[in-house]
Short mmCIF file of all heavy atoms in Angstrom, two decimals:
data_model
loop_
_atom_site.label_atom_id
_atom_site.label_comp_id
_atom_site.label_asym_id
_atom_site.label_seq_id
_atom_site.Cartn_x
_atom_site.Cartn_y
_atom_site.Cartn_z
N ARG A 205 -60.55 157.35 -67.81
CA ARG A 205 -59.90 158.50 -67.23
C ARG A 205 -60.32 159.73 -68.06
O ARG A 205 -60.22 160.88 -67.44
CB ARG A 205 -58.31 158.34 -67.19
CG ARG A 205 -57.89 157.35 -66.27
CD ARG A 205 -56.35 157.33 -66.29
NE ARG A 205 -55.83 156.40 -65.35
CZ ARG A 205 -54.53 156.20 -65.08
NH1 ARG A 205 -53.60 156.90 -65.77
NH2 ARG A 205 -54.16 155.32 -64.25
N PHE A 206 -60.68 159.69 -69.23
CA PHE A 206 -61.10 160.77 -70.06
C PHE A 206 -62.11 161.65 -69.34
O PHE A 206 -62.07 162.84 -69.45
CB PHE A 206 -61.64 160.25 -71.41
CG PHE A 206 -62.41 161.39 -72.19
CD1 PHE A 206 -61.64 162.39 -72.80
CD2 PHE A 206 -63.76 161.43 -72.24
CE1 PHE A 206 -62.31 163.32 -73.54
CE2 PHE A 206 -64.37 162.43 -72.94
CZ PHE A 206 -63.69 163.40 -73.59
N PHE A 207 -63.08 161.06 -68.70
CA PHE A 207 -64.18 161.77 -68.02
C PHE A 207 -63.72 162.65 -66.91
O PHE A 207 -64.42 163.61 -66.48
CB PHE A 207 -65.23 160.79 -67.59
CG PHE A 207 -66.06 160.23 -68.74
CD1 PHE A 207 -65.77 158.99 -69.28
CD2 PHE A 207 -67.09 160.95 -69.36
CE1 PHE A 207 -66.41 158.44 -70.28
CE2 PHE A 207 -67.76 160.40 -70.39
CZ PHE A 207 -67.42 159.22 -70.89
N ARG A 208 -62.44 162.30 -66.30
CA ARG A 208 -62.02 163.19 -65.20
C ARG A 208 -61.69 164.57 -65.54
O ARG A 208 -61.79 165.41 -64.74
CB ARG A 208 -60.73 162.53 -64.54
CG ARG A 208 -61.07 161.07 -63.95
CD ARG A 208 -59.84 160.45 -63.50
NE ARG A 208 -60.05 159.12 -62.98
CZ ARG A 208 -59.09 158.24 -62.62
NH1 ARG A 208 -57.80 158.67 -62.52
NH2 ARG A 208 -59.41 157.06 -62.22
N ILE A 209 -61.38 164.89 -66.81
CA ILE A 209 -61.06 166.15 -67.23
C ILE A 209 -62.22 167.08 -67.24
O ILE A 209 -62.20 168.35 -67.18
CB ILE A 209 -60.31 166.18 -68.60
CG1 ILE A 209 -61.31 165.72 -69.76
CG2 ILE A 209 -59.08 165.30 -68.66
CD1 ILE A 209 -60.83 165.87 -71.13
N ILE A 210 -63.39 166.46 -67.27
CA ILE A 210 -64.68 167.13 -67.31
C ILE A 210 -64.93 167.91 -65.96
O ILE A 210 -65.55 169.05 -65.92
CB ILE A 210 -65.89 166.29 -67.62
CG1 ILE A 210 -65.70 165.64 -68.98
CG2 ILE A 210 -67.17 167.08 -67.59
CD1 ILE A 210 -66.69 164.65 -69.35
N GLY A 211 -64.43 167.35 -64.89
CA GLY A 211 -64.60 167.90 -63.56
C GLY A 211 -64.02 169.36 -63.43
O GLY A 211 -64.43 170.05 -62.57
N ASN A 212 -63.20 169.75 -64.36
CA ASN A 212 -62.53 171.13 -64.24
C ASN A 212 -63.08 172.05 -65.31
O ASN A 212 -62.57 173.21 -65.41
CB ASN A 212 -61.04 170.96 -64.37
CG ASN A 212 -60.41 170.14 -63.18
OD1 ASN A 212 -60.89 170.30 -62.04
ND2 ASN A 212 -59.53 169.30 -63.52
N ASP A 213 -64.11 171.59 -66.07
CA ASP A 213 -64.54 172.45 -67.24
C ASP A 213 -66.07 172.62 -67.04
O ASP A 213 -66.77 171.63 -67.32
CB ASP A 213 -64.25 171.73 -68.50
CG ASP A 213 -64.38 172.70 -69.79
OD1 ASP A 213 -65.44 173.37 -69.72
OD2 ASP A 213 -63.54 172.65 -70.68
N HIS A 214 -66.52 173.76 -66.67
CA HIS A 214 -67.86 173.94 -66.45
C HIS A 214 -68.77 173.83 -67.68
O HIS A 214 -69.89 173.25 -67.61
CB HIS A 214 -68.19 175.41 -65.84
CG HIS A 214 -69.57 175.63 -65.52
ND1 HIS A 214 -70.22 175.21 -64.49
CD2 HIS A 214 -70.48 176.56 -66.17
CE1 HIS A 214 -71.49 175.61 -64.41
NE2 HIS A 214 -71.60 176.42 -65.40
N ASP A 215 -68.32 174.29 -68.84
CA ASP A 215 -69.13 174.18 -70.09
C ASP A 215 -69.28 172.74 -70.39
O ASP A 215 -70.44 172.31 -70.82
CB ASP A 215 -68.46 174.92 -71.13
CG ASP A 215 -68.30 176.39 -70.93
OD1 ASP A 215 -69.13 176.91 -70.15
OD2 ASP A 215 -67.53 177.15 -71.74
N LEU A 216 -68.24 171.86 -70.31
CA LEU A 216 -68.32 170.53 -70.59
C LEU A 216 -69.26 169.82 -69.63
O LEU A 216 -70.10 168.90 -70.01
CB LEU A 216 -66.97 169.87 -70.57
CG LEU A 216 -66.03 170.15 -71.83
CD1 LEU A 216 -64.72 169.42 -71.52
CD2 LEU A 216 -66.74 169.48 -73.10
N GLN A 217 -69.24 170.24 -68.39
CA GLN A 217 -70.13 169.65 -67.35
C GLN A 217 -71.56 169.81 -67.74
O GLN A 217 -72.32 168.87 -67.67
CB GLN A 217 -69.82 170.31 -65.99
CG GLN A 217 -68.49 170.00 -65.44
CD GLN A 217 -68.28 170.76 -64.10
OE1 GLN A 217 -69.19 171.42 -63.59
NE2 GLN A 217 -67.08 170.80 -63.57
N VAL A 218 -71.94 171.07 -68.12
CA VAL A 218 -73.35 171.40 -68.40
C VAL A 218 -73.83 170.53 -69.57
O VAL A 218 -74.92 169.82 -69.46
CB VAL A 218 -73.58 172.81 -68.63
CG1 VAL A 218 -74.98 173.12 -69.26
CG2 VAL A 218 -73.28 173.67 -67.44
N PHE A 219 -73.09 170.42 -70.63
CA PHE A 219 -73.60 169.84 -71.89
C PHE A 219 -73.52 168.24 -71.71
O PHE A 219 -74.40 167.55 -72.24
CB PHE A 219 -72.86 170.26 -73.10
CG PHE A 219 -73.34 171.54 -73.55
CD1 PHE A 219 -72.68 172.78 -73.19
CD2 PHE A 219 -74.48 171.74 -74.33
CE1 PHE A 219 -73.09 174.04 -73.67
CE2 PHE A 219 -75.00 173.02 -74.68
CZ PHE A 219 -74.28 174.14 -74.35
N MET A 220 -72.47 167.76 -70.92
CA MET A 220 -72.40 166.31 -70.74
C MET A 220 -73.62 165.83 -69.80
O MET A 220 -74.26 164.83 -70.14
CB MET A 220 -71.13 166.00 -70.00
CG MET A 220 -70.95 164.52 -69.73
SD MET A 220 -70.94 163.36 -71.18
CE MET A 220 -69.31 163.67 -71.76
N GLY A 221 -73.86 166.72 -68.84
CA GLY A 221 -75.02 166.35 -67.96
C GLY A 221 -76.33 166.38 -68.64
O GLY A 221 -77.17 165.41 -68.47
N LEU A 222 -76.56 167.42 -69.46
CA LEU A 222 -77.79 167.47 -70.26
C LEU A 222 -77.91 166.35 -71.20
O LEU A 222 -79.01 165.75 -71.41
CB LEU A 222 -77.88 168.78 -71.01
CG LEU A 222 -78.20 170.06 -70.09
CD1 LEU A 222 -78.02 171.26 -70.92
CD2 LEU A 222 -79.58 169.87 -69.58
N PHE A 223 -76.84 165.98 -71.85
CA PHE A 223 -76.81 164.87 -72.88
C PHE A 223 -77.19 163.53 -72.19
O PHE A 223 -78.07 162.76 -72.70
CB PHE A 223 -75.48 164.68 -73.54
CG PHE A 223 -75.43 163.61 -74.58
CD1 PHE A 223 -76.10 163.64 -75.73
CD2 PHE A 223 -74.77 162.49 -74.22
CE1 PHE A 223 -76.07 162.59 -76.56
CE2 PHE A 223 -74.70 161.37 -75.08
CZ PHE A 223 -75.28 161.38 -76.32
N ILE A 224 -76.54 163.32 -71.05
CA ILE A 224 -76.86 162.00 -70.32
C ILE A 224 -78.34 161.94 -69.83
O ILE A 224 -79.05 160.94 -70.19
CB ILE A 224 -75.96 161.84 -69.12
CG1 ILE A 224 -74.48 161.68 -69.53
CG2 ILE A 224 -76.40 160.65 -68.23
CD1 ILE A 224 -73.56 161.80 -68.45
N CYS A 225 -78.82 162.98 -69.26
CA CYS A 225 -80.18 163.09 -68.76
C CYS A 225 -81.17 162.94 -69.86
O CYS A 225 -82.13 162.13 -69.86
CB CYS A 225 -80.42 164.34 -68.02
SG CYS A 225 -82.11 164.69 -67.46
N LEU A 226 -81.07 163.85 -70.92
CA LEU A 226 -82.05 163.83 -71.96
C LEU A 226 -81.88 162.69 -72.98
O LEU A 226 -82.84 162.25 -73.63
CB LEU A 226 -81.91 165.23 -72.80
CG LEU A 226 -82.08 166.52 -71.94
CD1 LEU A 226 -81.95 167.72 -72.83
CD2 LEU A 226 -83.45 166.42 -71.17
N GLY A 227 -80.66 162.24 -73.13
CA GLY A 227 -80.46 161.11 -73.99
C GLY A 227 -81.08 159.89 -73.54
O GLY A 227 -81.76 159.14 -74.29
N PHE A 228 -80.97 159.52 -72.19
CA PHE A 228 -81.65 158.41 -71.65
C PHE A 228 -83.22 158.59 -71.75
O PHE A 228 -83.89 157.65 -72.04
CB PHE A 228 -81.29 158.17 -70.26
CG PHE A 228 -80.02 157.34 -70.07
CD1 PHE A 228 -78.81 157.80 -70.40
CD2 PHE A 228 -80.17 156.05 -69.54
CE1 PHE A 228 -77.63 156.89 -70.23
CE2 PHE A 228 -79.15 155.16 -69.38
CZ PHE A 228 -77.74 155.62 -69.73
N GLY A 229 -83.71 159.80 -71.54
CA GLY A 229 -85.14 160.05 -71.60
C GLY A 229 -85.58 159.91 -73.04
O GLY A 229 -86.64 159.25 -73.22
N LEU A 230 -84.80 160.31 -74.01
CA LEU A 230 -85.19 160.12 -75.39
C LEU A 230 -85.28 158.65 -75.80
O LEU A 230 -86.18 158.16 -76.43
CB LEU A 230 -84.26 160.83 -76.40
CG LEU A 230 -84.44 160.66 -77.88
CD1 LEU A 230 -85.78 161.24 -78.33
CD2 LEU A 230 -83.27 161.35 -78.65
N PHE A 231 -84.23 157.91 -75.40
CA PHE A 231 -84.18 156.51 -75.69
C PHE A 231 -85.41 155.70 -75.06
O PHE A 231 -86.00 154.92 -75.78
CB PHE A 231 -82.92 155.83 -75.15
CG PHE A 231 -82.79 154.32 -75.24
CD1 PHE A 231 -82.63 153.76 -76.45
CD2 PHE A 231 -83.06 153.54 -74.14
CE1 PHE A 231 -82.51 152.39 -76.57
CE2 PHE A 231 -82.99 152.14 -74.22
CZ PHE A 231 -82.75 151.51 -75.42
#
Side-chain angles (χ1 to χ4, degrees):
R205 290 186 178 182
F206 166 77
F207 288 97
R208 296 178 184 175
I209 65 172
I210 299 175
N212 299 318
D213 192 316
H214 181 71
D215 292 346
L216 282 175
Q217 289 175 11
V218 171
F219 283 99
M220 177 63 76
L222 285 173
F223 177 74
I224 293 172
C225 173
L226 302 182
F228 270 75
L230 175 62
F231 174 73

